[in-house]
Amino acid sequence: MFEGLNSLVDVGSSTGTVGKAIANAFPHLECTVFDLPQTVAALQDCGNLKYVGGNMFEQVPAADAVLLKWVLCDWNDDECLKILKQCRKAVSGGKEGGKVIIVDLVLTKNEKSDDEALNLIETQLLFDLVTMVLVGGKERGEEEWAKLFSALGFSRYKIAPVLGMRYVIEVYP
Ligand SMILES: C[S@@+](CC[C@H](N)C(=O)[O-])C[C@H]1O[C@@H](n2cnc3c(N)ncnc32)[C@H](O)[C@@H]1O
């Protein structure tokens, strides 16, 4: 997933636990932890890791790739379009064309009816409800993700399950 990349911005990274792990694992990668100014103000740059404060609705620092982990589920579709628009801009500068990497839940289609499948769907729907009530966001199925990407003119996406309900979606400008 990080092959061929020279730089990555972890948007909405909080204090950068994931950004730090990626920077350590890939020393050639220039990693930026990007969050609200008050979240990163006291944090010190270190080696290939730097902290940048800002508003993802207004601008995201340019890089080969942008990571959005557990961020978009907190926002409604209009807000996600604004965030993804800035992310698309941020990765569109390079020659090779970058990508946006989303780690989030993808609602499973109700195709099987065994206990395991039903438990998974029930858990996902519970997450959806909690997200809606607590932060006004939502969980999305593949069609809903695809609609957001095509509304912004992204050319294609790849989607893969990684761990339980977590998926990685790689989206290309
Ligand atoms: C649910 S947390 C995700 C944290 C991290 N990505 C993770 O996987 O643990 C969402 C993060 O988005 C940040 N955030 C909220 N609004 C933002 C904005 N307008 N610009 C940049 N970051 C923002 C919050 O400060 C918070 O750290």
Side-chain angles (χ1 to χ4, degrees):
M1 186 165 47
F2 300 121
E3 209 171 293
L5 301 178
N6 294 313
S7 55
L8 175 128
V9 184
D10 185 7
V11 171
S13 179
S14 189
T15 50
T17 307
V18 168
K20 247 181 264 170
I22 295 173
N24 284 337
F26 300 94
H28 73 280
L29 200 59
E30 291 301 320
C31 290
T32 301
V33 163
F34 180 78
D35 207 286
L36 292 167
Q38 60 269 32
T39 307
V40 295
L43 302 169
Q44 295 295 317
D45 297 354
C46 175
N48 59 331
L49 181 70
K50 70 176 177 196
Y51 296 89
V52 174
N55 181 353
M56 63 190 172
F57 288 94
E58 290 172 0
Q59 194 179 15
V60 166
D64 294 340
V66 162
L67 174 66
L68 287 160
K69 176 176 161 286
W70 285 142
V71 171
L72 295 176
C73 57
D74 286 355
W75 303 95
N76 68 33
D77 286 350
D78 286 344
E79 292 161 334
C80 282
L81 286 172
K82 288 182 189 152
I83 299 166
L84 283 168
K85 186 175 175 188
Q86 295 308 325
C87 294
R88 190 182 192 286
K89 240 193 251 173
V91 301
S92 295
K95 271 197 306 232
E96 303 296 323
K99 62 181 169 182
V100 178
I101 304 167
I102 297 167
V103 178
D104 226 314
L105 193 148
V106 177
L107 294 171
T108 317
K109 281 203 182 130
N110 196 357
E111 282 164 348
K112 293 187 200 155
S113 55
D114 55 86
D115 278 355
E116 199 182 327
L118 291 175
N119 282 340
L120 178 64
I121 287 169
E122 204 175 300
T123 309
Q124 291 180 344
L125 293 177
L126 194 61
F127 256 74
D128 191 22
L129 191 67
V130 170
T131 307
M132 228 182 286
V133 171
L134 290 186
V135 291
K138 64 194 260 195
E139 305 300 347
R140 296 176 170 85
E142 182 171 349
E143 289 83 1
E144 290 168 291
W145 284 112
K147 246 190 225 171
L148 292 179
F149 306 148
S150 81
L152 289 168
F154 282 100
S155 61
R156 65 192 170 94
Y157 68 90
K158 262 190 337 201
I159 189 162
V162 278
L163 186 65
M165 299 188 299
R166 291 163 200 235
Y167 281 69
V168 171
I169 314 173
E170 292 173 76
V171 199
Y172 300 85

